[in-house]
Amino acid sequence: FENLIYTYRIFREHQGYFRIQTSKDVPEMIFRTLKDLIYTYEKPNQGLITNLRYPVEKQKALQRSQ
């Protein structure tokens, strides 16, 4: 956004719920699934500098040769 890279921390609570670090004056929201969180923050004006655009697939860890 405007030539800057923003990193957002997504936390997984001990109950399995998810939350994201937003601007300080934005009420914290808890989500049952990561998909629900992403769906909400794809919309503008939710407390992030820019809305989320797409999830990045986690790469599988490379197996060590034995």
Side-chain angles (χ1 to χ4, degrees), residues 3 5 10 20 24 26 29-31 36 41 44 48-49 51 54-55 57-60 62-64:
N3 294 326
I5 296 172
I10 297 175
I20 192 169
K24 67 177 183 174
V26 175
M29 295 173 38
I30 303 292
F31 300 90
D36 292 339
Y41 289 101
L48 304 181
I49 298 297
N51 52 309
Y54 52 87
E57 295 295 326
K58 181 178 179 180
Q59 294 180 351
K60 293 182 179 181
L62 298 175
Q63 293 181 346
R64 292 184 180 177

Side-chain angles (χ1 to χ4, degrees), residues 6-56:
Y6 291 88
T7 302
Y8 295 107
R9 291 185 181 124
I10 297 175
F11 301 96
R12 186 152 195 190
E13 304 296 327
H14 63 277
Q15 302 93 347
Y17 292 91
F18 294 90
R19 66 181 175 87
I20 192 169
Q21 183 179 26
T22 59
S23 302
K24 67 177 183 174
D25 295 331
V26 175
E28 186 175 278
M29 295 173 38
I30 303 292
F31 300 90
R32 272 173 71 126
T33 67
L34 189 55
K35 191 174 188 176
D36 292 339
L37 182 147
I38 291 169
Y39 177 76
T40 297
Y41 289 101
E42 284 177 330
K43 300 170 189 132
N45 303 318
Q46 298 298 314
L48 304 181
I49 298 297
T50 187
N51 52 309
L52 299 181
R53 295 185 186 167
Y54 52 87
V56 176

